[in-house]
């Protein structure tokens, strides 16, 4: 993402300025326009002359839907003096990212708008740039399997469009306001106050996810965890910062921490009928005003928890305003009632009537003018909302938050001042040139109970009793005097200072008021304000989204305040593991059996073996799959995953508690890197699916899950297909770690590494996101179509092919290309006796001579020889030959013997026995299918040989090696045997992908590997075995250059540089790690490190 931002800035040729804002350059804006899917609108029509992009894309005189005039006229009239130099019309998150990069680099005054309904004009800026989301208007409905309906809407959707859309296309809705020209972006990041607040809560309470472009330019999605799985099929591994971002955006967003481009909303059923009404009363004197206001206080005097359901269904808006039908002023009650019984109009009316009458009983002392209620179809309840013809005819208002009932219902205080002011203004009408209205909006009730502790949203005002607004409207719009309506006698400031001075704490309604001067007058809850500052610091540290009344960056003393530290991680309890187990398709296995019996989650869902799907699982059985060397490593819990979603949930559980963990597939890690002590292991052993896909062109692909062991893989493709791909021979090796680490095997010299055959992967990233990435050359054959891949996708695939090992994600399936399996192959061995060190040297020399030919013949590449030196004074040559002519056994054998002769002529050691035969394909892996050896394991050191010269022309190595081997043959160690062998990868393998174009496997540039192993015979300790191995390892290290180890196979590996040894590959891997695992979710001693800051 950063590379794209840097590219945009480079195109513009701009330098960031630190302090004062720069004037907007039309030329720079036009250059930005070339990079956008949207457009740039400027006050000058000729700005883009001379630029290559079509003129109708850039200049306001030639645009289609949007023009500079139309977009700037979306603002309220009060904002006509705050006209920007340019407007960026974004068509998607990519445009938003580029606009933020431009604003940061150009250092211009910058604002973001969705609908333009900011009464304080905070979504525009004079002589600056506005990023407008007005063209992002898409609305979609998601019907979940459980019957619930979700809505996604882009930030430029107006309430007019929203309401018309859900009336036409669904039976659901969610709380929102009534002003038709409001844009979703500002409305739902600021609370979403409207007519449903008392019954259902704020609109923001219904936001369950957001798409956001951060000030850095990065695009992220953040969800409430309990909804994300239902919406996306995944569950992200959110850290505390992610949760704080979503919390901050839900109520205090307003472009403080990022630009929201899409909202994900839960919904509620829309009623068939609602009850609407209006009651008006004459104002006879000042006492009438007082009596009117007290009637409202009488009805709303109950504590929220004591209100009945019917009372919460009723919303009353008390208003004082002109009598539009005659002289004088009226006091009005606007009635809105949401019935529980709404299937018929009469039923709705019958339910509402007694509740409305109970309210009207409080106004018996007033003189009735007119009014009544009626049940109307829900589709027709807001004709003013679907007809925004007077959208810019805006009042000038002061909007104050009322913290408590006492602040507005105190007859001896505020009400008297209110009555005096209103009655005086009535007597002066129409000399002011304006009319007025004032109303009270009672939020309390169910709304404040919905999230009283600010756990889910940052709406500062949710604990307030309500708001009071006083507005002036010009009688003659053409002669409108905004300054007089604000600052003149009887204006909003006069009302604020005269009437509201003693009400509450002087808080203003979030971003609606022109009189607020400090953020502290808007962010009313100190604890909330401090948390918002922390979110600002984390997501906008350079204050790209600075604007008046925005959340400020915290000071140094704030960041040092220990009380603001995020909640610390705690070690999981047995009950925590049990609860996790209850959410998984798999299970959590623990050393303590039956752990969930004391605290069931739910009853019968175990940590071990109580469910039918997991009945065969146990902690002991899973641990017994490890090599013997790893027996002393006991994790606190094994999480057995059965799906990608299980992996996501497990990572989330682990990340939240900051506990050490490992990931394993088959448990064949010689270095025990797939397990640990006092930690958690996520085991993929139950992900064992294998499937075959045949393309229209006849190519066969295999989909293999990571828990498949090599013995299962071989048995499956021998039974179900005539294809295979390169892999190793160790039966218990899991395909997840095997392919992720290169997949070296007997086919390497002829066909390359197993990782070269990976053409696609499905994996869970560090943030919990599930993705599928395919090689562009094969995707259409796999899926039947091609997707638009970016470079980052291919980078991710490159990193996984050879360095998966939980560096950037957990692979849940590999997609493999295949090659035809031969009918016959030749396999066997030659066994030689050893009578001196000279025999060892001649044997090794024959190996080197055979593998020294740089331009090998095709038949030579068909042969792989594994030379073994082993206890019992023996040299063994293990042979695999893949004949070109394999339709008959005799033909295959004859071809192999011809090539083998070239090797055998150089061996001086006496031949003891031999067994070479051509075998049918189904017999070639009998040793794997029989799983010979099981857990009886050897302890090894595995060194990469970068150059042939290191082991063939290095006489110091040859002498030391031969002398050491002869010494061990003559002086055997009690209870131990040994073997040493060379695995020649070179030749075809190293030339297959020499520049790491398709694979990140670093071992591909090596000539081969050299391994030395000790095997227990009796009661020898593992420590004694390793002491001997370490002695030999020191000998090799002193003779072979570079001292590189086979990727993750060696216990003696101590740091990353011994495994990740190709600098340019390591640097590229670090860059990819920073993109896909930014917080280091995947971290173990030998994984790729995150780059240092400044990388």
């Amino acid at each position: 993402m950063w590379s794209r931002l840097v590219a945009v800035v480079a195109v513009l040729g701009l330098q960031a300025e630190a302090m004062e804002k720069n004037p907007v350059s039309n030329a720079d804006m036009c250059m930005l326009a070339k990079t956008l899917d949207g457009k740039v609108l400027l006050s000058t029509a000729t700005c883009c002359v001379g630029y290559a992009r079509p003129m109708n894309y850039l200049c306001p005189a030639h645009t289609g839907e949007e023009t500079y005039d139309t977009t700037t006229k979306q603002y309220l009239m009060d904002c006509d003096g705050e006209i920007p130099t340019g407007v960026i019309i974004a068509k998607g998150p990519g445009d938003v990212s580029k606009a933020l990069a431009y604003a940061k680099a150009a250092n211009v005054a910058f604002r973001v708008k969705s609908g333009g309904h900011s009464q304080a004009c905070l979504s525009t800026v004079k002589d600056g740039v506005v990023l407008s989301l007005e063209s992002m208007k898409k609305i979609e409905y998601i019907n979940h399997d459980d019957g619930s309906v979700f809505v996604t809407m882009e930030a430029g959707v107006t309430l007019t469009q929203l309401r018309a859309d859900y009336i036409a296309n669904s039976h659901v809705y969610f709380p929102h306001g009534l002003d038709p020209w409001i844009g979703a972006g500002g409305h739902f990041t600021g609370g979403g106050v409207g007519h449903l607040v008392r019954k259902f809560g704020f609109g923001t309470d219904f936001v369950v996810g957001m798409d956001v472009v951060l000030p850095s330019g990065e695009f992220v999605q953040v969800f409430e965890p309990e909804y994300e799985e239902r919406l996306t099929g995944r569950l992200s591994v959110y850290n505390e910062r992610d949760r704080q971002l979503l919390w901050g955006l839900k109520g205090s967003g307003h472009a403080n921490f990022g630009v929201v481009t899409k909202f994900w909303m839960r919904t509620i059923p829309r009623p068939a009928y609602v009850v609407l009404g209006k009651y008006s009363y004459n104002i006879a004197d000042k006492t009438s005003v007082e009596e009117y206001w007290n009637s409202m206080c009488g009805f709303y005097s109950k504590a929220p928890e004591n209100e009945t359901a019917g009372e919460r269904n009723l919303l009353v808006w008390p208003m004082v305003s002109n009598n539009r039908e005659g002289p004088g002023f009226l006091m009005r009650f606007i009635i809105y009632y949401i019935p529980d019984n709404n299937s018929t109009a009469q039923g709705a009316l019958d339910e509402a009537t007694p509740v409305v009458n109970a309210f009207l009983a409080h106004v018996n002392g007033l003189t009735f003018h007119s009014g009544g209620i009626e049940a109307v179809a829900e589709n027709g309840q807001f004709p003013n909302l679907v007809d925004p013809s007077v959208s810019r005819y805006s009042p000038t208002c002061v909007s104050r938050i009322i913290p408590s009932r006492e602040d507005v219902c105190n007859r001896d205080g505020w009400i008297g001042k209110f009555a005096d002011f209103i009655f005086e203004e009535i007597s002066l009408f129409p000399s002011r040139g304006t009319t007025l209205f004032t109303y009270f909006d009672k939020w309390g009730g169910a709304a404040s109970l919905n999230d009283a502790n600010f756990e889910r949203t940052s709406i500062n005002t949710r604990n307030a009793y309500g708001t009071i607004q006083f507005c002036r409207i010009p009688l003659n719009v053409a002669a409108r005097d905004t300054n007089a309506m604000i600052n003149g006698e009887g204006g909003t400031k006069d009302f604020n200072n005269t009437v509201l001075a003693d009400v509450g704490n002087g808080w203003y309604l979030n971003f609606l008021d022109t009189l607020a001067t400090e953020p502290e007058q808007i962010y009313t809850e100190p604890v909330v304000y401090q948390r918002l500052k922390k979110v600002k610091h984390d997501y906008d540290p350079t204050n790209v989204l600075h604007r008046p009344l925005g959340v400020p960056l915290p000071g140094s003393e704030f960041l040092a305040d220990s009380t603001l530290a995020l909640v610390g991680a705690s070690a999981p309890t047995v009950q925590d593991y049990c609860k996790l187990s209850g959410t998984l398709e798999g299970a959590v296995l623990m050393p303590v059996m039956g752990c969930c019996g004391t605290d069931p989650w739910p009853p019968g869902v175990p940590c071990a073996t109580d469910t039918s799907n997991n009945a065969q699982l146990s902690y002991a059985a899973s641990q017994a799959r490890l090599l013997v060397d790893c027996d002393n490593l006991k994790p606190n819990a094994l999480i057995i995953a059965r799906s990608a979603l299980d992996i996501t949930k497990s990572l989330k559980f682990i990340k939240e508690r900051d506990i050490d963990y490992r990931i394993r597939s088959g448990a064949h890690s010689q270095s025990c890197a797939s397990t640990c002590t006092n930690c958690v292991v996520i085991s993929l052993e139950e992900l064992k699916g294998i499937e075959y896909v045949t393309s229209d062109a006849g190519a066969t692909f295999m989909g293999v899950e990571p828990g498949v062991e090599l013995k299962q893989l071989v048995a499956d493709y021998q039974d179900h297909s005539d294809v295979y791909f390169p892999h190793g021979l160790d039966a218990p090796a899991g395909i997840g770690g095997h392919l992720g680490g290169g997949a070296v095997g007997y086919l390497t010299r002829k066909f390359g590494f197993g990782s070269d055959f990976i053409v696609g992967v499905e994996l869970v990233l560090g943030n919990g996101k599930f993705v599928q990435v395919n090689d562009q050359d094969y995707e259409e054959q796999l899926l039947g179509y091609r997707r638009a891949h970016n470079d980052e996708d291919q980078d991710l695939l490159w990193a996984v092919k050879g360095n998966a090992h939980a560096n950037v994600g957990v692979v849940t399936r590999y997609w493999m290309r295949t090659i035809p399996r031969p009918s016959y192959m030749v396999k066997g061995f030659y066994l030689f006796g050893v009578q001196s060190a000279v025999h060892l040297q001649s044997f090794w020399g024959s190996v080197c001579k055979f593998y020294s030919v740089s331009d090998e013949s095709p038949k030579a590449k068909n042969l792989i020889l594994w030379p073994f030196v082993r206890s019992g004074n023996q040299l063994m040559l293990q042979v695999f030959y893949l004949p070109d002519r394999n339709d008959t056994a005799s033909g295959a054998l004859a071809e192999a013997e011809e090539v083998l002769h070239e090797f055998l002529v150089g061996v001086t050691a006496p031949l003891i026995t031999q067994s070479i035969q051509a075998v049918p394909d189904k017999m070639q892996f009998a040793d794997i299918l029989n799983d010979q050896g099981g857990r009886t394991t050897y302890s090894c050191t595995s060194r990469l040989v970068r150059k042939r010269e290191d082991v063939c022309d290095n006489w110091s190595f040859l002498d030391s090696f031969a002398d050491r081997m002869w010494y061990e043959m003559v002086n055997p160690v009690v209870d131990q045997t040994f073997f040493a062998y060379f695995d020649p990868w070179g030749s075809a393998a190293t030339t297959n992908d020499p520049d790491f174009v398709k694979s990140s496997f670093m071992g591909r540039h090596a000539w081969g590997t050299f391994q030395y192993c000790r095997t227990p015979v009796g009661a020898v300790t593992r420590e004694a075995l390793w002491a001997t191995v370490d002695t030999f390892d020191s000998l090799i290290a002193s003779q072979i250059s570079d001292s590189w180890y086979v990727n993750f196979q060696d216990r003696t590996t101590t740091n990353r540089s011994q495994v990740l040894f190709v600098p340019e590959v390591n640097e590229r891997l670090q860059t990819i790690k920073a993109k896909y695992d930014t917080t280091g979710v995947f971290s173990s001693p030998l994984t790729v490190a995150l780059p240092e800051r400044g990388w």
Side-chain angles (χ1 to χ4, degrees):
M1 182 63 70
W2 274 109
S3 61
R4 294 201 295 271
L5 294 179
V6 170
V8 172
V9 174
V11 167
L12 297 171
L14 301 168
Q15 297 294 324
E17 297 291 334
M19 302 299 288
E20 291 187 7
K21 296 301 179 183
N22 296 329
V24 176
S25 163
N26 285 355
D28 290 341
M29 289 285 283
C30 287
M31 293 181 71
L32 171 65
K34 294 180 181 181
T35 71
L36 301 177
D37 293 325
K39 61 189 74 173
V40 169
L41 307 173
L42 298 171
S43 52
T44 10
T46 58
C47 66
C48 301
V49 172
Y51 290 94
R53 198 91 182 243
M55 291 302 100
N56 65 354
Y57 202 82
L58 299 172
C59 295
H62 304 284
T63 55
E65 293 182 6
E66 303 95 352
T67 70
Y68 178 84
D69 287 340
T70 60
T71 193
T72 54
K73 292 302 182 185
Q74 290 173 353
Y75 294 106
L76 304 183
M77 285 185 174
D78 283 351
C79 306
D80 282 352
E82 297 290 327
I83 300 301
T85 300
V87 179
I88 301 169
I89 306 292
K91 296 288 187 182
D95 283 356
V96 174
S97 179
K98 293 170 185 176
L100 290 171
Y102 160 78
K104 184 175 181 179
N107 192 38
V108 294
F110 185 76
R111 299 288 186 273
V112 181
K113 89 172 182 78
S114 55
H117 182 67
S118 169
Q119 289 189 17
C121 305
L122 296 176
S123 58
T124 185
V125 58
K126 187 177 182 179
D127 299 329
V129 173
V130 168
L131 169 61
S132 176
L133 310 179
E134 64 192 85
S135 288
M136 299 176 65
K137 292 180 174 293
K138 191 173 183 179
I139 299 174
E140 294 181 312
Y141 299 87
I142 301 172
N143 295 297
H144 194 266
D145 293 341
D146 63 8
S148 56
V149 179
F150 298 89
V151 174
T152 66
M153 59 178 174
E154 291 185 321
V157 170
T158 62
L159 296 190
T160 300
Q161 178 194 354
L162 173 65
R163 177 161 174 76
D165 195 278
Y166 67 59
I167 286 175
N169 298 305
S170 79
H171 62 282
V172 298
Y173 68 166
F174 46 82
H176 57 74
L178 301 179
D179 289 325
W181 53 90
I182 292 177
H187 188 54
F188 290 101
T189 57
V193 179
H195 59 289
L196 302 181
V197 165
R198 278 179 41 77
K199 184 174 177 68
F200 297 114
F202 295 95
T204 300
D205 295 328
F206 283 68
V207 176
V208 297
M210 295 183 184
D211 292 3
V212 190
V213 179
L214 300 179
S216 65
E218 180 185 1
F219 174 79
V220 298
Q221 288 184 309
V222 283
F223 290 92
E224 296 287 0
E226 65 266 40
Y227 289 98
E228 182 181 28
E229 183 178 343
R230 298 162 69 187
L231 287 169
T232 67
R234 65 175 189 269
L235 188 62
S236 297
V237 185
Y238 288 125
N239 58 30
E240 184 63 23
R241 288 176 70 245
D242 295 327
R243 287 192 291 269
Q244 295 292 328
L245 174 63
L246 184 59
W247 171 85
L249 290 170
K250 290 177 64 171
S252 297
H254 286 115
N256 274 314
F257 322 112
V259 179
V260 178
T261 59
K262 181 190 288 186
F263 296 89
W264 300 68
M265 311 293 295
R266 63 182 175 91
T267 64
I268 47 179
R270 208 169 72 248
Y273 293 92
V274 296
V275 175
L276 299 177
K278 179 172 63 177
Y279 291 87
S280 301
Y281 296 83
N282 292 317
I283 296 180
D285 50 30
K286 188 176 77 171
T287 303
S288 299
V289 178
E290 293 177 346
E291 207 51 48
Y292 158 82
W293 202 262
N294 276 298
S295 65
M296 179 273 302
C297 289
F299 183 75
Y300 284 139
S301 62
K302 291 183 179 180
E305 62 271 19
N306 294 328
E307 291 182 312
T308 67
E311 288 168 338
R312 282 196 294 269
N313 291 351
L314 176 64
L315 181 65
V316 177
W317 280 319
M319 305 180 72
V320 177
S321 65
N322 284 80
N323 177 6
R324 297 177 181 271
E325 301 165 359
F329 276 64
L330 296 175
M331 295 171 289
R332 291 190 176 95
F333 294 110
I334 308 299
I335 301 292
Y336 185 88
Y337 187 87
I338 310 164
D340 297 316
N341 177 11
N342 56 59
S343 58
T344 67
Q346 189 59 49
L349 192 61
D350 290 345
E351 181 185 325
T353 298
V355 183
V356 173
N357 288 341
F359 169 77
L360 295 176
H362 293 277
V363 296
N364 286 338
L366 299 180
T367 303
F368 179 75
H369 177 271
S370 61
I373 58 174
E374 62 177 332
V376 299
E378 198 280 333
N379 288 1
Q381 64 181 283
F382 296 121
N384 59 315
L385 183 58
V386 295
D387 179 21
S389 59
V390 292
S391 62
R392 296 195 72 241
Y393 181 58
S394 61
T396 297
C397 303
V398 58
S399 310
R400 288 285 289 271
I401 291 171
I402 309 300
S404 67
R405 174 185 177 278
E406 290 72 20
D407 284 316
V408 291
C409 295
N410 182 354
R411 180 185 292 273
D412 297 328
W414 176 82
I415 293 180
K417 296 178 181 179
F418 171 75
D420 286 340
F421 189 94
I422 295 299
F423 202 73
E424 180 180 354
E425 288 304 308
I426 291 173
S427 65
L428 292 173
F429 179 80
S431 61
R432 298 281 197 210
T434 61
T435 184
L436 65 84
F437 70 87
T438 182
Y439 74 93
F440 175 69
D441 193 352
K442 204 272 188 184
W443 294 354
S448 61
L449 294 175
N450 194 46
D451 184 15
N453 296 318
F454 303 96
E455 293 174 357
R456 290 297 182 90
T457 68
S458 55
I459 305 171
N460 284 264
T461 51
R462 72 156 56 254
N463 276 356
Y465 186 69
T467 61
I468 185 166
Q469 290 200 29
F470 173 79
C471 306
R472 301 220 69 116
I473 303 174
L475 298 176
N476 184 341
V477 175
R480 176 188 184 92
D481 186 344
T482 300
N483 181 63
M485 289 191 293
I486 296 174
N487 299 306
E489 188 175 359
T492 57
K493 185 176 289 187
D494 190 9
F495 182 86
N496 185 60
N497 295 338
T498 303
V499 179
L500 301 178
D502 299 325
V503 175
N505 300 312
W507 297 333
Y508 293 90
L509 185 58
N510 205 356
F511 300 104
L512 283 177
D513 204 276
T514 55
L515 301 183
T517 57
E518 301 294 335
E520 288 78 7
Q521 294 174 300
I522 291 175
Y523 301 103
T524 57
E525 297 283 344
V527 174
V528 174
Y529 189 36
Q530 293 294 76
R531 284 179 66 185
L532 291 171
K533 287 183 179 180
K534 180 66 169 63
V535 178
K536 181 73 170 180
H537 171 268
D538 287 343
Y539 287 93
D540 190 14
T542 58
N543 216 6
V544 173
L545 296 173
H546 166 76
R547 53 172 178 68
L549 301 182
V551 174
L553 283 168
S556 58
E557 73 286 350
F558 168 85
L559 295 176
D561 186 348
S562 61
T563 63
L564 295 168
L566 298 178
V567 178
S570 59
T573 64
V574 169
Q575 286 72 29
D576 289 334
Y577 286 120
C578 290
K579 291 179 180 180
L580 172 64
S581 187
T583 70
L584 304 177
E585 296 176 45
V588 178
L589 311 178
M590 302 181 70
V592 182
M593 300 299 289
C595 66
C596 299
T598 58
D599 186 12
W601 183 269
V605 178
C607 296
T609 62
D610 294 344
T611 61
S612 58
N613 195 36
N614 300 313
Q616 79 281 14
L617 301 176
S618 75
Y619 181 92
S622 186
Q623 279 293 96
R625 301 172 70 245
L626 297 168
L627 302 184
V628 174
D629 276 353
C630 309
D631 278 352
N632 63 324
L633 300 175
K634 304 290 186 183
N636 294 334
L638 297 173
I639 302 175
I640 309 297
R642 290 190 181 274
S643 65
L645 192 56
D646 277 1
I647 295 170
T648 294
K649 291 176 180 178
S650 302
L651 290 173
K652 180 177 184 292
F653 177 90
I654 289 166
K655 187 66 176 176
E656 286 176 341
R657 291 160 177 80
D658 194 27
I659 51 181
D660 191 20
Y661 77 103
R662 299 291 185 271
I663 297 172
R664 80 174 197 216
S665 55
H668 184 65
S669 169
Q670 290 185 19
S671 63
C672 304
S674 60
T675 189
C676 47
T677 295
N678 294 326
C679 69
V680 174
V681 169
I682 300 176
S683 176
L684 312 180
E685 63 192 78
E686 289 300 304
L687 292 173
K688 291 179 173 293
I690 299 174
E691 61 180 294
Y692 300 85
V693 175
T694 302
S695 72
D696 293 341
T700 300
F701 299 90
M702 292 181 66
V704 187
E705 291 186 335
V708 172
E709 296 181 355
L710 292 187
K711 59 184 177 183
Q712 177 195 352
L713 175 69
V714 171
D716 195 277
Y717 67 59
Q718 287 188 346
D719 287 342
H720 297 103
S721 77
D722 58 354
V723 297
Y724 64 171
F725 55 83
H727 56 74
L729 299 178
D730 287 319
I735 210 73
H738 186 56
L739 286 173
V744 180
Y746 71 105
L747 299 180
T748 295
R749 276 177 40 80
K750 184 174 178 68
F751 295 113
F753 298 100
S755 59
D756 296 331
F757 282 66
I758 298 172
V759 296
V761 291
E762 298 171 15
L763 73 163
V764 178
L765 300 179
N767 63 3
K769 183 179 180 181
F770 177 77
V771 298
Q772 181 176 356
V773 186
N774 300 315
D775 188 311
Q776 291 175 330
D777 295 336
Y778 292 94
E779 181 169 64
E780 189 167 354
Q781 296 183 65
L782 276 172
L783 302 180
Y785 59 91
R786 291 190 64 176
R787 298 176 299 174
H789 284 283
N790 58 31
D791 292 339
E792 291 178 358
D793 291 330
Q794 298 305 297
D795 276 348
L796 179 59
L797 182 62
W798 175 86
V800 168
K801 292 174 64 172
N803 275 284
H805 289 117
N807 276 311
V808 291
V810 182
V811 177
T812 60
R813 190 190 307 270
Y814 291 96
W815 287 99
M816 311 296 298
R817 62 183 175 91
T818 62
I819 48 179
R821 217 168 62 244
S823 301
Y824 293 92
M825 67 170 293
V826 176
K827 63 179 295 187
F829 67 90
Y830 293 86
L831 189 64
F832 302 90
V834 178
Q835 299 171 354
S836 68
V838 174
H839 285 159
L840 290 168
Q841 289 179 343
S842 71
F843 177 78
W844 202 260
S846 296
V847 172
C848 290
K849 181 179 180 181
F850 181 77
Y851 285 130
S852 65
V853 180
S854 58
D855 54 343
E856 295 176 297
S857 67
K859 290 183 179 180
K861 293 179 182 179
N862 292 347
L863 176 64
I864 183 166
L865 302 173
W866 280 329
F868 283 80
V869 181
R870 65 185 192 179
S871 298
N873 293 32
Q874 293 179 342
L875 299 171
M876 187 181 75
L877 188 69
Q878 193 167 3
V879 174
F880 285 93
Y881 187 84
L882 304 169
D884 296 320
R885 193 180 74 191
N886 56 55
D887 53 338
T888 66
S890 58
L893 187 60
E895 183 181 319
E897 288 177 337
E898 178 185 348
V899 180
L900 278 168
H901 177 74
E902 299 177 20
F903 171 80
L904 295 174
V905 293
V907 180
T908 60
L911 178 65
I912 298 175
T913 185
Q914 71 180 59
S915 175
I916 298 294
Q917 58 182 322
V919 297
D921 170 71
K922 290 208 172 194
M923 291 180 57
Q924 65 179 277
F925 295 117
D927 50 344
I928 290 186
L929 297 179
N930 293 334
D931 197 5
Q932 295 178 356
R935 294 188 72 239
T936 303
T937 184
Y938 31 80
S939 299
C940 302
T941 180
S942 310
R943 291 283 182 145
L944 285 173
V945 179
R946 180 73 184 266
K947 298 175 294 185
R948 174 189 175 278
E949 291 77 14
D950 283 326
V951 293
C952 290
D953 296 334
N954 182 351
W955 286 105
S956 176
F957 165 78
L958 290 174
D959 285 345
S960 298
F961 168 72
D963 289 345
R964 178 69 189 185
M965 293 295 97
W966 178 245
Y967 174 82
E968 293 199 15
M969 290 178 176
V970 176
N971 302 283
V973 179
V974 178
D975 292 331
Q976 296 182 34
T977 61
F978 79 91
F979 64 90
Y981 76 94
F982 177 68
D983 191 353
W985 297 353
S987 188
T990 57
T991 58
N992 192 48
D993 183 14
D995 297 319
F996 300 96
V997 173
K998 290 291 184 77
S999 166
S1000 59
F1001 180 49
M1002 297 196 190
R1004 68 162 57 262
H1005 274 185
W1007 200 62
T1009 61
F1010 186 90
Q1011 290 202 24
Y1012 171 82
C1013 305
R1014 305 291 310 193
T1015 305
V1017 176
V1020 64
T1021 65
R1022 308 306 296 181
E1023 290 73 16
L1025 283 178
W1026 276 112
T1028 312
V1029 170
D1030 290 346
T1031 299
F1032 187 82
D1033 185 68
S1034 299
L1035 171 69
I1036 297 176
S1038 65
Q1039 304 295 336
I1040 298 179
S1041 62
D1042 298 323
S1043 299
W1044 297 330
Y1045 291 93
V1046 178
N1047 204 355
F1048 298 104
Q1049 286 191 3
D1050 203 280
R1051 183 190 73 99
T1052 50
T1053 306
T1054 57
N1055 61 68
R1056 293 180 176 92
S1057 63
Q1058 293 174 304
V1059 172
L1060 306 168
F1061 53 81
V1062 181
E1064 60 271 24
V1065 175
N1066 189 37
E1067 290 178 6
R1068 186 177 172 190
L1069 285 170
Q1070 284 188 289
T1071 303
I1072 297 168
K1073 176 83 168 178
K1075 292 178 182 177
Y1076 291 97
D1077 186 20
T1078 55
T1079 58
V1081 171
F1082 303 113
S1083 179
S1084 65
L1086 298 179
T1087 53
V1088 175
L1090 281 168
E1092 299 293 332
R1093 291 186 181 276
W1095 178 277

